[in-house]
Amino acid sequence: MNGKKTSPVILVTRKLPPAVEARIARDYECILNGDDRLYDDAELVDQSDGVDAIVCCHTEHFTRAVIGQLPDSVRAIVNFSVGVDHCDLEAAGSKGIVVTNTPDVLSDATAEITMLCMLGAARRAGEGFHMVRQDLWHDWSPTFMLGTQVTGKRFGIVGMGRVGQVAARRARGFDMEIHYHNRRRLAPAAEQGAIYHETLESLLSVSDVLSLHCPNNPDSRGLLNAERIGQLPDGAIVVNTARGAVVDDEALVEALGSDRIRAAGLDVFNGEPDGIHPAYRELGNVFVLPHLGSATVETRDAMGFRALDNLDAIFAGREPADRVT
Ligand code: DGY
């Protein structure tokens, strides 16, 4: 940072898309992360010295301890993410720090990845890809690598928010029957014929494909545990494009290993990226992706602009549209 401070100083913790960085550099004094190096907690605090707001991703952990050490100059944590489970909202709120996120703009991209995970798991795409690339494919036969068809099956959604609703629309394209469980029942116009289940147990019992779309919070952590997996139909498919923390990995791995669960399509993991359950790297019936839900050029630009709209509102003294605390 050079020269006299004339506008708010913004710490941008990760390398953002070029158009987003161009806008923030135009409008603010900013500290960019050209190398896209992941800051640990101590660096996050150090880098925040003299900063008015932080634009960050889910890769930075704003725990109570980190927030406690942030300088008083920090007025806002502006997330480039819809998930805010990496931020201790209570600690931020009690320090008077505004926290925002980026809803809506990533629903389409994430629902696309949901379909990819569902099909990848159902049609054994990971195994097939591996066979071709490793030159292990030398025959075709009527019984070769049979998967299961999703057309006409029941698609069970846990968390019928924005992404869940788009995933439902996409799954209807496969003639799937849509079922969901949500804290509140949606209005008929939003339901579009989806069948509401007041209890999770009721949803589980009819879900040929179970797709997780709820945020990670104390209510949802470890939600898909051994008991609930036991309530799924035999041979069900589990899809997770929400957060790894919603799944009890030991329970899912055990069910996948015994074929109680036919397959899983997972884009998110506990301990990602390096500390994921080792079985997810081994099991043939798991289709895995490296947290790509929102990873399209269009969506990442839109997330950045939405984050900057929130930032602009905060420094213009307006209420940011996506304030979470
Ligand atoms: C989100 O926005 O929460 C995505 O998981 C990427 O961070």
Side-chain angles (χ1 to χ4, degrees):
M1 224 184 339
N2 294 316
K4 195 167 161 299
K5 176 173 161 178
T6 53
S7 68
V9 179
I10 313 299
L11 171 65
V12 182
T13 60
R14 302 302 305 265
K15 189 167 177 52
L16 299 180
V20 180
E21 288 201 342
R23 175 171 150 187
I24 195 166
R26 182 195 67 195
D27 297 342
Y28 298 93
E29 273 193 50
C30 53
I31 304 166
L32 299 176
N33 182 352
D35 301 333
D36 204 18
R37 204 165 52 78
L38 196 57
Y39 297 143
D40 63 23
D41 293 356
E43 287 171 306
L44 204 51
V45 172
D46 279 355
Q47 293 281 344
S48 303
D49 189 31
V51 152
D52 297 297
I54 302 171
V55 175
C56 62
C57 298
H58 76 271
T59 45
E60 287 71 65
H61 300 285
F62 288 93
T63 58
R64 178 168 288 278
V66 168
I67 288 174
Q69 293 172 71
L70 291 178
D72 290 341
S73 58
V74 174
R75 288 175 52 189
I77 296 173
V78 173
N79 282 293
F80 180 96
S81 70
V82 68
V84 288
D85 52 321
H86 55 289
C87 295
D88 187 322
L89 298 182
E90 207 181 277
S94 60
K95 208 171 161 167
I97 296 177
V98 174
V99 180
T100 60
N101 69 344
T102 56
D104 296 320
V105 289
L106 43 65
S107 304
D108 286 332
T110 307
E112 285 181 5
I113 285 285
T114 301
M115 296 299 106
L116 180 56
C117 285
M118 173 175 72
L119 293 173
R123 302 302 300 273
R124 306 177 60 177
E127 291 166 87
F129 180 87
H130 177 78
M131 284 188 88
V132 177
R133 297 293 284 253
Q134 303 300 313
D135 197 9
L136 300 169
W137 176 42
H138 303 299
D139 190 16
W140 181 97
S141 92
T143 54
F144 172 63
M145 275 201 61
L146 303 187
T148 189
Q149 197 158 305
V150 298
T151 303
K153 300 264 168 69
R154 296 166 297 182
F155 187 71
I157 298 173
V158 180
M160 194 65 146
R162 300 170 177 93
V163 180
Q165 288 177 46
V166 183
R169 289 211 290 277
R170 302 293 173 262
R172 279 188 196 100
F174 292 105
D175 293 334
M176 298 185 82
E177 185 175 274
I178 312 300
H179 295 253
Y180 75 101
H181 169 67
N182 200 43
R183 265 171 312 161
R184 269 172 292 115
R185 183 172 182 165
L186 302 187
E191 255 181 1
Q192 298 195 348
I195 299 159
Y196 176 61
H197 294 257
E198 213 165 290
T199 65
L200 180 57
E201 288 62 34
S202 163
L203 174 76
L204 293 171
S205 70
V206 300
S207 296
D208 299 317
V209 176
L210 182 78
S211 194
L212 302 169
H213 295 284
C214 50
N216 167 26
N217 58 35
D219 292 336
S220 65
R221 215 153 291 151
L223 170 144
L224 193 63
N225 57 20
E227 189 188 338
R228 294 197 171 115
I229 288 172
Q231 292 162 350
L232 288 166
D234 266 340
I237 289 173
V238 169
V239 173
N240 189 7
T241 56
R243 282 292 185 264
V246 178
V247 170
D248 173 341
D249 289 328
E250 288 302 336
L252 182 58
V253 163
E254 146 74 29
L256 285 161
S258 66
D259 287 336
R260 240 304 273 139
I261 294 297
R262 179 188 299 272
L266 308 174
D267 184 47
V268 288
F269 304 85
N270 282 301
E272 64 180 55
D274 297 326
I276 73 172
H277 194 297
Y280 293 140
R281 302 187 199 276
E282 305 284 334
L283 285 165
N285 54 349
V286 184
F287 176 79
V288 284
L289 292 173
H291 200 147
L292 294 182
S294 61
T296 68
V297 172
E298 300 87 340
T299 295
R300 290 285 163 83
D301 278 350
M303 288 167 72
F305 296 139
R306 183 110 179 192
L308 296 192
D309 289 347
N310 287 318
L311 187 69
D312 292 349
I314 292 164
F315 286 104
R318 287 183 274 111
E319 181 65 13
D322 306 313
R323 182 179 183 143
V324 291
T325 192

